[in-house]
Amino acid sequence: MFFSSISIAFFLYSGEVSRNAFYILTYISIIYFCYWVFKIDKKMHLYLLPTLVFLLGASKLVWLLLTSSPEFPLVAHHYQISGKRMVLGYFVLYCIQRNLSQWRISFKAASIASYILFVLLIMISVTNAVLYLKTGERVKVNSDAATSGAYMFVLFSMLTIYCLRRFTPKLYRPLCLAALILSVINLLATETRSALLFYGLFIIFCLVHDLFYGKKAHKKLFAAIILTTVAFALFLAKPYYNPALERMDAIQQEVTLYTQGQNNSSVGARLSLWKSAWYSFKHHPLGQSVDSRNALATRYIVQHENSNQEALNNIQFHTHNDLLDTLSLQGIFGGIIMLAFFIALLLWPFKMFPGSQAFLLLSLPVVFFSQGDCQFYNRESPYLMILVLGFLMMLRLVDVPKSRAETLPD
């Protein structure tokens, strides 16, 4: 619980601290995995989600062994690191699921973890807001790109708000309100449209949920604070958020331009890349190297997508869709594993735990953002998802005191 919370909290602030905590956690998990499998259980359990995580990582490493990509070594480098971390993450998830019926975690430990996440959310948001005001450039939130940083921040913020809501019952309203405001500020600094849209829906859900299920005390006060904050932002902070709003307004225009043959835009590039990925997959349904995929995709973009320059610039990295990107490189078998993981992530937690809606905080953003970008290509994103999954599983084991049980929200 300690190493998971530290690694998650520092993921978008200090990659070195986050990775070191993750590796320590995996080493501990491997030791206990060997102890339980060879000493206690005398067998290895095939738990669904941990096994799919292992298969995702192993499939990347096997693909690397079977193909070579001298012209695009960066893709192989990303696949190697992300695959290795997913295989290591398997041991963490296995140990957690193996002990679901035996472990109990104190309410105090969960509260401390919640405060750690909240403090780092403040530090991340303030740091990036200051950087954005100084440079005027989209912030990357300690990531390779502004988009991937925004996606991971949405996941981190939603987890933090859930923890505050669940394990700081006396102060949850002001803390959650502060977290929401800071998160919006940070996401505006990334100017990532899909993240802003998704997080906007999350805010609406939070407000409606608190209206119907929150404590009766102070509802009117906090509603007034929210309205005042929104009015203040709309009136005084327009120079800060205006670039993000302009990018939001441009979505429909980019779609219209694409239908007219002018596809050199963010949305147009994605559509061209998706088509080129499917075209590449049809030529090599059992998988191929990056060199082969990119040659086919480039040929398709030049011939059928009006030589979309934005798409040609991005094809050297990935095709902006996890499922299509996996199909185009690892073939049908890799695509089946990826699709099975998405389905299991959406459905399996409800079988493990009754009333486990909290797992949607992980599965919904992961599945949603994977349709417009490649999170499993990234070196960092996969291990954060694994940590959050294990963290949510452990939160189901928190031993809630009877005196607090009635005050906790659902």
Side-chain angles (χ1 to χ4, degrees):
M1 184 76 172
F2 172 75
F3 284 114
S4 295
S5 61
I6 292 296
S7 186
I8 294 170
F10 280 88
F11 180 81
L12 293 170
Y13 190 79
S14 172
E16 184 178 4
V17 173
S18 178
R19 287 190 296 271
N20 287 338
F22 173 73
Y23 285 129
I24 292 172
L25 177 62
T26 59
Y27 299 151
I28 294 171
S29 299
I30 290 172
I31 292 171
Y32 275 100
F33 172 86
C34 295
Y35 173 74
W36 283 316
V37 169
F38 298 110
K39 182 76 173 177
I40 304 299
D41 296 337
K42 306 293 186 180
K43 63 178 181 179
M44 188 171 69
H45 300 285
L46 292 177
Y47 300 124
L48 182 62
L49 276 174
T51 301
L52 285 173
V53 168
F54 176 83
L55 291 175
L56 273 176
S59 67
K60 289 176 177 284
L61 299 178
V62 170
W63 173 81
L64 280 173
L65 292 174
L66 298 177
T67 62
S68 61
S69 303
E71 294 185 24
F72 299 95
L74 182 62
V75 176
H77 178 64
H78 276 267
Y79 260 54
Q80 180 185 17
I81 296 177
S82 62
K84 177 190 70 174
R85 289 174 178 171
M86 281 189 275
V87 170
L88 291 174
Y90 160 77
F91 295 99
V92 178
L93 295 179
Y94 183 97
C95 291
I96 293 173
Q97 190 161 350
R98 161 63 176 76
N99 290 279
L100 287 178
S101 60
Q102 299 178 21
W103 284 353
R104 287 296 177 269
I105 297 173
S106 71
F107 188 87
K108 184 177 181 180
S111 297
I112 292 173
S114 303
Y115 287 121
I116 291 173
L117 296 175
F118 179 61
V119 169
L120 265 297
L121 185 143
I122 295 173
M123 295 169 64
I124 292 166
S125 300
V126 171
T127 300
N128 286 298
V130 172
L131 179 64
Y132 183 72
L133 291 173
K134 284 184 177 180
T135 65
E137 299 178 356
R138 298 175 65 185
V139 297
K140 297 181 179 180
V141 200
N142 197 37
S143 185
D144 295 334
T147 50
S148 57
Y151 300 151
M152 292 301 99
F153 182 81
V154 167
L155 180 59
F156 170 67
S157 174
M158 290 169 63
L159 176 66
T160 302
I161 290 169
Y162 170 74
C163 290
L164 293 173
R165 181 81 167 87
R166 181 78 180 165
F167 302 110
T168 60
K170 294 183 178 179
L171 298 172
Y172 82 85
R173 273 207 179 99
L175 294 181
C176 288
L177 178 61
L180 287 170
I181 293 172
L182 289 170
S183 297
V184 171
I185 291 172
N186 188 77
L187 290 173
L188 286 170
T190 68
E191 299 182 14
T192 303
R193 294 173 290 195
S194 54
L196 285 165
L197 285 170
F198 186 90
Y199 202 79
L201 294 174
F202 174 67
I203 291 176
I204 293 172
F205 168 79
C206 288
L207 296 176
V208 172
H209 186 274
D210 190 61
L211 180 64
F212 286 98
Y213 298 104
K215 299 177 187 177
K216 294 181 179 180
H218 309 303
K219 276 188 179 181
K220 293 182 179 180
L221 173 62
F222 278 92
I225 293 174
I226 291 171
L227 292 175
T228 303
T229 303
V230 171
F232 176 81
L234 291 175
F235 183 70
L236 296 178
K238 187 175 181 179
Y240 179 86
Y241 63 75
N242 197 50
L245 294 183
E246 289 177 352
R247 284 177 54 82
M248 298 277 284
D249 293 337
I251 294 177
Q252 184 177 357
Q253 181 182 0
E254 290 179 12
V255 173
T256 303
L257 289 174
Y258 180 83
T259 60
Q260 297 173 355
Q262 302 178 41
N263 52 12
N264 190 24
S265 62
S266 178
V267 173
R270 280 172 165 79
L271 294 171
S272 297
L273 288 167
W274 297 344
K275 291 180 179 180
S276 68
W278 184 252
Y279 175 83
S280 303
F281 164 68
K282 288 192 297 183
H283 279 73
H284 293 278
L286 296 180
Q288 61 189 314
S289 68
V290 182
D291 296 348
S292 173
R293 192 275 304 273
N294 288 9
L296 286 168
T298 300
R299 185 172 73 189
Y300 179 87
I301 293 169
V302 171
Q303 293 179 353
H304 302 282
E305 293 295 312
N306 197 28
S307 297
N308 188 334
Q309 190 58 51
E310 187 68 20
L312 292 174
N313 292 338
N314 282 276
I315 192 61
Q316 60 182 309
F317 304 112
H318 53 73
T319 59
H320 282 278
N321 180 291
D322 269 313
L323 186 57
L324 288 173
D325 194 69
T326 302
L327 284 169
S328 69
L329 292 176
Q330 297 175 240
I332 187 66
F333 298 109
I336 289 173
I337 295 172
M338 180 66 71
L339 182 61
F341 176 74
F342 286 156
I343 295 173
L345 199 61
L346 285 167
L347 303 178
W348 189 250
F350 293 94
K351 184 173 179 61
M352 281 198 300
F353 306 103
S356 56
Q357 290 84 355
F359 285 89
L360 294 176
L361 298 173
L362 170 66
S363 57
L364 289 181
V366 168
V367 174
F368 178 77
F369 293 135
S370 288
Q371 307 315 303
D373 217 317
C374 286
Q375 300 180 85
F376 291 88
Y377 160 84
N378 193 294
R379 295 173 299 172
E380 312 295 340
S381 304
Y383 89 81
L384 176 67
M385 299 174 197
I386 292 169
L387 285 170
V388 172
L389 177 58
F391 193 73
L392 289 170
M393 291 168 67
M394 286 188 286
L395 290 182
R396 305 295 298 184
L397 308 177
V398 173
D399 190 10
V400 180
K402 292 182 179 180
S403 58
R404 296 179 184 266
E406 295 182 357
T407 64
L408 284 177
D410 295 331

